[in-house]
Each structure stands twice: as structure tokens, then as C-alpha cells.
Amino acid sequence: MNRLLLLISFVITPVLAQGATYYVAKTGRDSNTCSQAQSASTPKLTISSGLACLSGGDMLIIKGGTYTEGVQSDAIPSGLSETQRTIIKAASGEKVIVNGLNSIGDVWSIYDRSYITLDGLTIDGSNATYCGLRIGGSTVGSHYVTAQNGEILKCHWTSSSNQGAGLNSNLKYINLHIHNGGRSDSNQDHGIYIVAHDSLVERCNIHDITGHGIHIFTSSGTNNNNVIRNNTIHDNDSFGVLLGSGSNNYAYNNVVYGNGRHISGTGGMWIAYYGASGNKIYNNTIYNNTGIAIRIRTDGSAIVRNNICYQNSTDSIDDETGTASISNNLFTNPLFIGAFGFNFALSADSPAIDKGMTISEVPNDFNEVTRPQDAAFDIGAFEY
């Protein structure tokens, strides 16, 4: 009897099928059916036509070329789960440029969607009015959306932004090159503007933005539990990183240099604004920024440890609250291997070696080297 029940259970238990794969190419035709577009030899011509074929959990592979179109907020269906994401990706080894239309606000927007991955795309904001990539929503927000292995450039406003205060969560920006964005007369256009909680910015290179490199803020104060790690953030007009209006946000293992170029009073990293509490700045290398290395404006429970602050206009940590926890930071010459060549690894006789505090949240360094390598944590983004 037990064997019979077991056999019946195998027969009636549904097995979730893998999603379908569709193709878009500059050699394609939008007159091709969705069934035909499942073959790389008969693809769709436009991204919008390819997206119209997708159901949740499907994949769209885009062949190399420049696509002068925009992707609107409701064009991509949500995935079904973390393991059944809707994926839009560039074909392996091919450069896909999406450069929008003059008539649209954003090049690419995703609203009220979940479990979506954008992989390997170049989003060029030259032709759009506002953002390169906007993720958000007005009803339930967007969740578990990942943008990775791509490039966002020349956006008139913020390069990548969230919309919908308090609604968005679990967004990931991984290995993105974000650069040359924002209006020349504005300090409100940022590289990544996070209006979300439990989100991640990792291994991104963000530079030549007219505002902050990374900006976490919402007036609702719900930008909590975000992680900014292992990024290179440099040559932006305002602060490299702002942790604002949220609690328990982390910034660690970042290399932050050359920021604060054109906006007075800015510099490396900043904690400020509404409801900021319990934020952490650990093991960053903050070098040659115009202005102050680290400023704490409103978070009296902030923790700032193991940071190198050197060759900034002001090599200090300015705690305006008077109650933040600040220790094990280095303000003298760290003896980098080659700062002029932007090699901020430590030389053998660096005073940063073994002078840091053990921090369980930072088990590896910028290059994923395990901490500590010797008796104690090193100060800065790199473990010797």
C-alpha cells in the first residue's frame, strides 16, 4: 500500500518546466512569431517585440548591436521565484547597446515587478530625458531585481534610480560600470539612487557623475539594511557615498577617491538626513577627495572603523553628533603600493597592517582575500 501511494504521489506531483528562451537580433523580423523567435536563426528584430513573447521565468537573449528603443515599466513579466527568474541578457561575448528614444523619460524602467535579472546590457542615456535604469513602483514596488555585468552611461539625470518610497527591496547592482551622468548644473543626479531596503551594490565602478556616486535616501526613512561593498567610486562631483535616512546600512571594502570635485563641503563618505541610525562604515580606502574624508551628520549610533583616510583635503572623521563609535582608522601615509597608478594595495611596511579591529561583517577584503591574513585585520579595503 505504501509503495502504491508513493507511486501515485510521483505521478500527480507537478514538475515545473524550465522557462522558454527567445531571441532578438538586428537581423531579425518582428513579423516572426514567438514560436519562431525561440530559434536563434529566426529572432525578433526589436527588444520590445521579444519582451512581448515572455512569460514569467522565460529568458530573452539579445544579440549584439544598438537598439534605439526604450523599455517601459510594465514590459517585463515578473519571474516566478528566485530560481525561476525572468532573464534579459546580452548574447555571450556580444555588446548590446540600448540607447532609448528622445520621446521617453527613462531608457529602461521596471515597475511593480519581482525576480527579474538584466545581464550584460549597455544602457546609454544620451537620448532619454531622465534615467538610464529606473526600478520601482506605485502599488507593491519591485523586489528581487538584479542588474549585473553591464554599463550605464551618459544619463541626463540619475543613472539608476528607485521610485516608490518604502516599497522596494532586495535589489542588486553587481559589476556595473556607471559613468558620465547627470546635468552639469545639478548636484541631484547620482550614479545609483537607492530608495529600497535589503539591497546590494557590489563590484561597481562609478565615476564622473555630477552628484553623489551612491545615494541612499528616502524621506520615509525606510532605506534599511542596504550593503555597499567592494566598489570603486571616484571622480564624482559630490560625495562618493551617502548613507542617508535609514538604519543598519553598511559601506565596506570600497575604494573612494577623487570625489567632491565641484560641490563645496562634500568629499568621501557621508551619513546624514532623516532617521539615520546604526549605520556602519568599515574598511574603506578614502583617498584624495576634495573635502572631508567622512562626515557623520545625524547618526549618533554610527560605527566607523578600520578606514584609511589619507590625502583628502581634510583627513578627519567629522562626527557632528558627538556620540558615534569611531576607532582604528588611519590618517597618516598608509604606504600604498602605487596610489598614483590607483593601486591602493598595501606595501609590506604599511602602518595599516594588523592595526584594524576584528569585524565579523567583513570576512573578506576588496579582492575577496580572507581577513585576517596575519595577527589582526588590516585597515583599509585591502588585506596585505
Side-chain angles (χ1 to χ4, degrees), residues 51-66:
L51 292 174
C53 292
L54 300 184
S55 297
D58 288 345
M59 179 185 296
L60 182 67
I61 297 178
I62 306 171
K63 301 287 285 183
T66 298

Side-chain angles (χ1 to χ4, degrees), residues 350-366:
S350 170
I353 295 174
D354 292 344
K355 295 300 192 295
M357 178 178 289
T358 297
I359 299 174
S360 61
E361 297 96 330
V362 192
N364 302 308
D365 79 345
F366 182 93

Side-chain angles (χ1 to χ4, degrees), residues 49-89:
S49 186
L51 292 174
C53 292
L54 300 184
S55 297
D58 288 345
M59 179 185 296
L60 182 67
I61 297 178
I62 306 171
K63 301 287 285 183
T66 298
Y67 295 82
T68 304
E69 56 183 300
V71 177
Q72 300 305 300
S73 58
D74 57 352
I76 306 173
S78 290
L80 305 179
S81 67
E82 183 62 50
T83 58
Q84 291 181 294
R85 286 175 162 264
T86 301
I87 298 172
I88 297 91
K89 64 182 297 184

Side-chain angles (χ1 to χ4, degrees), residues 155-157 181-187 189 209-211 237 262-263:
C155 300
H156 290 183
W157 282 21
R183 295 161 293 176
S184 61
D185 61 346
S186 174
N187 63 356
D189 303 334
I209 304 296
T210 63
D237 287 358
H262 300 302
I263 300 175

Side-chain angles (χ1 to χ4, degrees), residues 254-257 283-289 306-312 315 330-353 378-384:
N254 300 288
V255 176
V256 181
Y257 68 89
N283 280 98
N284 299 284
T285 294
I286 303 171
Y287 173 81
N288 196 34
N289 296 280
N306 294 3
N307 300 284
I308 291 175
C309 304
Y310 185 63
Q311 289 288 311
N312 303 283
D315 282 327
L330 181 68
F331 304 98
T332 58
N333 191 345
L335 300 178
F336 297 126
I337 286 178
F340 291 111
F342 309 109
N343 184 348
F344 299 103
L346 305 176
S347 61
D349 52 353
S350 170
I353 295 174
D378 297 344
I379 297 174
F382 296 92
E383 187 78 6
Y384 177 74

